Amino acid sequence: MRTVERILDELKDMINSRKYSPLRSKLELLEPVDVAWLLGQLEPEERSPVFRLLPKEMAAEVFSELEADEQEQLIESFGDRELEFVLSGLYSDDATDLIEEMPANVVKRILKHTDPQKRAVINQLLKYPKDSAGSMMTTEFMDLKANMTVAQAFDRIRKVGLERETVYTCYVTDANRKLEGVITVLEMLMADGEDTVGELMNRNVIFFHTLDDQEQVARAFDKYGFLAFPIADGEGRLVGIVTVDDAMEVIEEENTEDIEKMAAILPTEKPYLKTGVFETFRSRIPWLLILMISATFTGRIIAGFEEALAAQAVLISFIPMLMDTAGNTGSQASVTIIRSLSLQELRFKDLFRVVWKEIRVAVLCGIALSVANFLKILLVDNLIFQAHVSVAVAAVVCVTLCLTVAVAKLVGCSLPMLAKKCKFDPAVMASPFITTIVDAIALLIYFAVALAVLKI
Amino acid sequence: MRTVERILDELKDMINSRKYSPLRSKLELLEPVDVAWLLGQLEPEERSPVFRLLPKEMAAEVFSELEADEQEQLIESFGDRELEFVLSGLYSDDATDLIEEMPANVVKRILKHTDPQKRAVINQLLKYPKDSAGSMMTTEFMDLKANMTVAQAFDRIRKVGLERETVYTCYVTDANRKLEGVITVLEMLMADGEDTVGELMNRNVIFFHTLDDQEQVARAFDKYGFLAFPIADGEGRLVGIVTVDDAMEVIEEENTEDIEKMAAILPTEKPYLKTGVFETFRSRIPWLLILMISATFTGRIIAGFEEALAAQAVLISFIPMLMDTAGNTGSQASVTIIRSLSLQELRFKDLFRVVWKEIRVAVLCGIALSVANFLKILLVDNLIFQAHVSVAVAAVVCVTLCLTVAVAKLVGCSLPMLAKKCKFDPAVMASPFITTIVDAIALLIYFAVALAVLKI
């Protein structure tokens, strides 16, 4: 797919030598999202003239694919009529997204040059909570009436189809816009022209409400393989649709968010290179501070056992290994559980199954790690490094390993599920948070076992 | 969406009281993927009778949505004619997936009861490497000829459309099956019945090769918003299509894989509750062992400075905080970079931009953390806990924090990019691997600064 990048050099040449006619011909053949990418690679002052070259049918779609700062810059360069033309070509969800990204003075100008009907739709869409189905949907769906014949339905599709987000799934509504059924273009193609839509439609419509979570809607696409889902308001009236391409975007956003939370970052919702230094700093420092402060309590535990460590200084050298292993073990369990909760493969009622499984895995891991560690102490530390680690100390370390692994996996698998039950985001219960807890537990176990066995 | 679970109880009652006719009526109204879920909740011996109740048009699709163990159990219960019927209804990609999951004796039986044409297609699909476009695609695409009129095209769609994975995007091929163009049903609906396909079609087809990576294909759906992409062989002949629902599955799988790798787990490719205890153990222990062994080298560093620590025992208590902060800082950077590489927002050539940005973020984080830590030592440790930490020691800790944060972010952001450049999977360069490295570096910095400042 590097053709687009090769074309970029060609296009830059054409722009520099003002070969606008061949430039337009080349752009015409590209997909809107590729044209948008190319515009983004140009200098700001080059963008407007190139944008104006685009065929009219393509302009609005290319505009909707640009980054927010590029859109803002173009709007500033547009005359009023140009702005009206581009805005009239945007689907309502893209127009709403645009308004959400623009500064206030630009929004004023946009709304002034949007026709009243569309303005009302946009205002309605803006009211929906962030991350809800309502904020994701668009209002340009293909609607039919049950008493239409298939032939009449196709006539309607021909008449308005180009202004619809998708025509292949059609929604049948009654006079009050209540959703009665759903029918696909394939079903209508296979039928007779005189059959009615009402006879053919599927009355068991799977739909969502405007206030449903966008992730729930997006995952339904993964589950059912549909092209679109209808969105209804509280009274069962069809108000919009969500299409599968929107769902893919949401899934990627939600995955990025989860991954960032699991690494103790506050989600930024922007590509890496588009976030400034201060913005990145602000997304990372809160958890770093919190975790640093909580890690100092782990330090207090060590300070409390300073005499024991002075008596058997060799104990100190095993602290990093024990803490690291506790952290890795805990986060293996927590990350797995968080991901499964996210994919809706697990529910809170599975808690006991999960805990029972993790205990058994922990026993196996604990045994494997202890044996490996014991051998390592005997063969590597003592023989190669001449560390003279006594068997008693080796036993203390290995017993601690076993117990720590068990506790770490227990904590790691149950905290995310408890978080979900208490309506917190399980992804926050991930690696850094759990690492801090299991680090402290690992040290407490270590010193307890050491005091008991070594009598120090 | 809990209706399906409520229905489950109803259905179980109907099964127990042998009310098969109302049971069939209820199942008929559900989507195949929901029927498959319900079958999965039943006892194995209940599944076959319920499956046999299903309307014939639905049976194959429901079968394709079952889990592999459920499919195997049903196949064992099928007579030969039943098996032939279900297999004949499967799309070639679902049939290929089935064969990949079944044990050898079942595969033999399946191939014996598949018609020769389909068998040849399946054998071809099986040859494609795992995770390639060829392994994802299906062969049931809607193909047209350029000299067809729109009316003839619709006749063809009516004739074969039900056996096509999708009809809404049609591919125009020549006599040698070379891909000439693409046309959508909407474009044909808007045209005149006498226009030819060749006049209307788009000759600039975006396509992929059979050996392209499946993740690349999946992300193209996210970028272009298409319903399907054509897949061509080395000679430009159309051999299959990949549809957007397959892409969503691939994206979720790739995301799960990345998340697991970042937590030092070997990917299992199965839902959590479907992996046994030994399987889970085997996916977690390799990295735990490797990281434990490498953490012991960190322990050797501490052992090397045992006298210094004995002289200033208070230094020991800051070790957990320094190591944890180093690890958290490093994995914030690495996770962000790995995710951006995954979403193709970054390339290796952005390395210097990334490093320059991370250095500046690191300076800000280092200052913030050092100041917070210094205040914490003065106010909390000394005043509340009476720890008597000298200003010199506090300075050592804070300077170490600053340097460690800088190094951790540098290591965290550059290792994944270098890994990608060397064609390794950047996700492996994540949290646990980087944590081990930055832990060791943090300790080395700590002792170097301590020895220099405290003259011990």
Side-chain angles (χ1 to χ4, degrees):
Chain A
M1 302 305 288
R2 300 291 165 92
T3 28
V4 171
E5 294 177 328
R6 270 182 271 139
I7 290 176
L8 176 60
D9 294 326
E10 281 187 61
L11 292 172
K12 283 188 159 173
D13 285 338
M14 288 188 207
I15 293 169
N16 290 336
S17 47
R18 302 218 188 304
K19 291 209 181 92
Y20 290 131
S21 192
L23 176 59
R24 177 192 169 110
S25 311
K26 254 213 143 54
L27 290 175
E28 262 183 335
L29 300 176
L30 298 175
E31 292 295 325
V33 64
D34 287 327
V35 175
W37 181 82
L38 287 163
L39 284 173
Q41 304 303 307
L42 300 176
E43 297 301 313
E45 55 274 9
E46 290 173 318
R47 260 176 229 151
S48 316
V50 174
F51 185 84
R52 291 196 176 96
L53 280 180
L54 295 173
K56 293 207 174 313
E57 319 82 71
M58 199 189 214
E61 206 181 335
V62 169
F63 186 85
S64 70
E65 298 279 0
L66 292 166
E67 297 288 343
D69 55 314
E70 296 156 6
Q71 290 173 326
E72 192 180 343
Q73 179 259 317
L74 272 180
I75 289 177
E76 270 163 38
S77 75
F78 284 162
D80 288 347
R81 281 214 311 174
E82 273 183 296
L83 182 59
E84 274 175 30
F85 174 73
V86 168
L87 292 175
S88 67
L90 292 178
Y91 287 120
S92 51
D93 58 347
D94 293 328
T96 310
D97 288 344
L98 176 67
I99 285 184
E100 282 175 334
E101 299 274 1
M102 292 295 111
N105 57 322
V106 180
V107 170
K108 258 203 203 145
R109 194 175 165 224
I110 290 173
L111 288 174
K112 201 167 135 207
H113 291 93
T114 309
D115 66 86
Q117 223 175 359
K118 199 163 196 163
R119 218 164 39 229
V121 169
I122 293 173
N123 279 324
Q124 182 58 39
L125 290 178
L126 284 169
K127 291 201 179 93
Y128 292 116
K130 189 177 180 312
D131 293 355
S132 66
S135 74
M136 233 179 131
M137 71 184 189
T138 198
T139 53
E140 292 88 354
F141 48 84
M142 196 63 230
D143 53 331
L144 303 171
K145 291 281 175 269
N147 56 11
M148 281 181 176
T149 62
V150 164
Q152 289 170 329
F154 275 123
D155 283 340
R156 178 157 169 75
I157 291 176
R158 274 187 210 98
K159 199 165 151 212
V160 301
L162 286 178
E163 294 147 27
R164 296 294 182 260
E165 176 80 49
T166 178
V167 301
Y168 301 129
T169 308
C170 306
Y171 300 95
V172 186
T173 52
D174 66 13
N176 297 319
R177 266 200 300 141
K178 280 229 173 73
L179 189 51
E180 292 188 304
V182 63
I183 188 168
T184 66
V185 161
L186 177 58
E187 284 163 351
M188 291 195 290
L189 282 173
M190 304 301 290
D192 188 84
E194 293 310 307
D195 292 339
T196 63
V197 166
E199 287 170 342
L200 299 167
M201 71 185 184
N202 178 359
R203 291 174 189 274
N204 298 293
V205 188
I206 297 177
F207 67 97
F208 289 92
H209 287 107
T210 49
L211 300 177
D212 284 336
D213 189 271
Q214 66 174 10
E215 196 177 354
Q216 192 188 347
V217 180
R219 297 209 181 279
F221 281 95
D222 192 17
K223 180 179 175 190
Y224 289 100
F226 288 178
L227 300 181
F229 281 102
I231 310 294
D233 65 6
E235 273 110 78
R237 286 180 304 216
L238 179 59
V239 286
I241 55 171
V242 174
T243 46
V244 62
D245 51 318
D246 296 321
M248 290 198 75
E249 273 191 54
V250 165
I251 288 209
E252 284 298 43
E253 275 172 30
E254 295 277 343
N255 281 330
T256 302
E257 227 183 82
D258 273 359
I259 288 172
E260 286 178 331
K261 282 181 194 162
M262 291 199 271
I265 303 168
L266 299 184
T268 53
E269 291 179 19
K270 273 176 166 178
Y272 179 76
L273 292 173
K274 293 253 168 199
T275 43
V277 170
F278 266 108
E279 208 173 341
T280 306
F281 164 69
R282 278 199 311 268
S283 73
R284 297 194 189 174
I285 199 62
W287 273 109
L288 281 182
L289 281 169
I290 294 172
L291 295 169
M292 183 187 82
I293 300 301
S294 54
T296 57
F297 292 113
T298 320
R300 293 275 99 226
I301 297 174
I302 291 187
F305 290 95
E306 253 171 47
E307 301 99 39
L309 289 174
Q312 281 269 17
V314 70
L315 286 175
I316 310 173
S317 65
F318 293 105
I319 289 178
M321 183 274 290
L322 286 170
M323 283 174 55
D324 274 358
T325 306
N328 291 338
T329 316
S331 69
Q332 278 182 341
S334 73
V335 160
T336 309
I337 299 303
I338 290 167
R339 185 62 179 165
S340 294
L341 285 170
S342 207
L343 294 174
Q344 296 171 356
E345 292 167 358
L346 279 184
R347 302 268 180 74
F348 181 74
K349 62 181 180 63
D350 297 311
L351 180 62
F352 288 115
R353 278 180 77 178
V354 167
V355 166
W356 175 227
K357 179 178 172 182
E358 288 294 328
I359 286 179
R360 289 178 289 164
V361 174
V363 165
L364 290 174
C365 286
I367 292 173
L369 290 169
S370 301
V371 167
N373 196 54
F374 198 79
L375 290 173
K376 193 226 84 181
I377 292 178
L378 290 186
L379 301 173
V380 179
D381 289 350
N382 283 350
L383 286 183
I384 300 182
F385 290 115
Q386 304 281 314
H388 307 296
V389 179
S390 70
V391 173
V393 168
V396 165
V397 172
C398 292
V399 168
T400 305
L401 250 185
C402 268
L403 293 171
T404 304
V405 163
V407 172
K409 285 219 183 289
L410 260 171
V411 170
C413 74
S414 47
L415 279 192
M417 298 191 84
L418 291 167
K420 178 121 184 156
K421 183 72 176 174
C422 302
K423 309 254 192 260
F424 289 120
D425 189 341
V428 174
M429 287 288 153
S431 187
F433 193 80
I434 288 193
T435 307
T436 312
I437 296 177
V438 302
D439 278 352
I441 295 177
L443 286 173
L444 287 171
I445 294 176
Y446 190 38
F447 293 129
V449 174
L451 287 172
V453 173
L454 302 174
K455 311 263 187 283
I456 42 177
Chain B
M1 303 306 291
R2 300 289 165 93
T3 29
V4 171
E5 293 177 330
R6 273 183 268 141
I7 289 176
L8 177 59
D9 294 326
E10 281 187 61
L11 292 172
K12 282 187 160 172
D13 285 338
M14 288 189 208
I15 293 169
N16 290 336
S17 47
R18 301 218 191 302
K19 291 208 179 93
Y20 290 131
S21 193
L23 176 60
R24 179 194 166 109
S25 311
K26 257 215 141 56
L27 290 175
E28 261 182 335
L29 301 176
L30 297 175
E31 292 295 326
V33 64
D34 287 328
V35 175
W37 181 82
L38 288 164
L39 283 174
Q41 305 302 308
L42 301 177
E43 299 298 317
E45 56 273 9
E46 289 173 318
R47 260 176 230 151
S48 317
V50 175
F51 185 84
R52 290 195 178 97
L53 280 180
L54 295 172
K56 291 207 176 311
E57 320 81 70
M58 200 190 213
E61 205 181 335
V62 169
F63 186 86
S64 69
E65 298 278 1
L66 292 167
E67 299 285 344
D69 56 313
E70 296 157 6
Q71 289 174 325
E72 191 182 342
Q73 179 257 318
L74 271 180
I75 288 176
E76 270 163 38
S77 76
F78 285 160
D80 288 345
R81 282 214 310 176
E82 273 182 297
L83 182 59
E84 273 174 31
F85 174 72
V86 168
L87 292 175
S88 66
L90 291 179
Y91 288 119
S92 50
D93 59 345
D94 293 328
T96 310
D97 289 344
L98 175 67
I99 286 184
E100 284 176 331
E101 302 272 2
M102 293 295 111
N105 56 321
V106 179
V107 168
K108 256 203 206 144
R109 194 175 165 222
I110 290 174
L111 289 174
K112 200 168 133 203
H113 291 94
T114 310
D115 67 84
Q117 223 176 358
K118 200 162 195 166
R119 216 162 44 225
V121 168
I122 293 174
N123 279 325
Q124 183 56 39
L125 291 178
L126 284 169
K127 289 201 179 91
Y128 292 117
K130 191 178 180 309
D131 292 355
S132 66
S135 75
M136 230 179 132
M137 72 184 187
T138 198
T139 53
E140 292 88 353
F141 48 83
M142 196 63 229
D143 53 332
L144 303 172
K145 291 280 173 270
N147 57 9
M148 282 181 176
T149 63
V150 164
Q152 288 170 330
F154 275 122
D155 283 340
R156 178 158 169 75
I157 291 176
R158 275 187 209 96
K159 198 165 152 215
V160 299
L162 287 179
E163 294 148 26
R164 295 295 182 258
E165 176 79 48
T166 179
V167 302
Y168 301 130
T169 309
C170 305
Y171 299 95
V172 187
T173 52
D174 67 14
N176 295 320
R177 266 198 301 139
K178 279 227 173 74
L179 190 50
E180 291 188 305
V182 62
I183 187 168
T184 67
V185 161
L186 177 59
E187 285 162 351
M188 291 194 291
L189 282 173
M190 304 301 289
D192 189 83
E194 293 311 306
D195 293 338
T196 62
V197 166
E199 287 169 340
L200 300 168
M201 71 185 184
N202 177 1
R203 290 173 190 277
N204 297 292
V205 188
I206 296 177
F207 68 97
F208 288 92
H209 287 107
T210 48
L211 299 178
D212 285 336
D213 188 90
Q214 68 173 8
E215 196 175 354
Q216 193 190 347
V217 180
R219 295 208 183 280
F221 281 96
D222 192 15
K223 180 179 175 190
Y224 288 100
F226 287 176
L227 300 182
F229 281 104
I231 311 293
D233 64 8
E235 275 110 79
R237 285 178 307 216
L238 178 59
V239 286
I241 56 170
V242 174
T243 47
V244 63
D245 51 319
D246 295 321
M248 291 197 76
E249 274 192 53
V250 164
I251 287 206
E252 284 297 43
E253 277 171 31
E254 294 278 343
N255 282 330
T256 302
E257 228 184 81
D258 273 0
I259 288 173
E260 287 179 330
K261 283 182 194 160
M262 292 199 271
I265 303 169
L266 299 183
T268 53
E269 291 178 18
K270 273 175 166 178
Y272 179 77
L273 293 174
K274 293 255 169 197
T275 43
V277 170
F278 265 109
E279 209 172 341
T280 306
F281 164 68
R282 277 199 313 268
S283 73
R284 295 192 188 174
I285 199 64
W287 274 108
L288 282 182
L289 281 169
I290 294 172
L291 295 169
M292 183 187 82
I293 300 300
S294 54
T296 57
F297 291 114
T298 320
R300 292 275 99 227
I301 297 174
I302 292 185
F305 290 95
E306 254 170 46
E307 302 97 39
L309 289 174
Q312 281 269 18
V314 70
L315 286 175
I316 310 174
S317 66
F318 293 104
I319 289 178
M321 183 274 290
L322 286 170
M323 283 174 53
D324 273 0
T325 306
N328 291 337
T329 316
S331 68
Q332 278 183 341
S334 70
V335 161
T336 309
I337 299 303
I338 290 168
R339 184 62 179 164
S340 295
L341 285 169
S342 206
L343 294 175
Q344 295 171 355
E345 293 166 357
L346 279 183
R347 301 268 180 76
F348 181 74
K349 63 182 178 63
D350 298 311
L351 179 62
F352 288 116
R353 279 179 79 177
V354 168
V355 165
W356 176 228
K357 179 177 172 185
E358 288 294 327
I359 285 178
R360 290 178 291 164
V361 173
V363 165
L364 290 175
C365 287
I367 293 172
L369 290 169
S370 301
V371 167
N373 195 54
F374 198 77
L375 291 173
K376 192 226 85 183
I377 292 178
L378 290 184
L379 300 174
V380 179
D381 288 349
N382 282 349
L383 287 183
I384 300 182
F385 290 113
Q386 304 279 318
H388 307 297
V389 179
S390 70
V391 173
V393 169
V396 166
V397 173
C398 292
V399 168
T400 305
L401 250 185
C402 268
L403 293 171
T404 305
V405 163
V407 173
K409 285 218 184 289
L410 261 171
V411 170
C413 74
S414 46
L415 279 192
M417 298 190 83
L418 291 167
K420 178 124 182 150
K421 182 72 177 171
C422 303
K423 308 256 193 260
F424 290 119
D425 188 342
V428 173
M429 287 287 153
S431 189
F433 192 80
I434 289 194
T435 306
T436 312
I437 295 177
V438 302
D439 278 352
I441 295 177
L443 287 174
L444 287 170
I445 293 176
Y446 190 39
F447 293 128
V449 174
L451 287 173
V453 172
L454 303 174
K455 312 260 188 282
I456 43 177

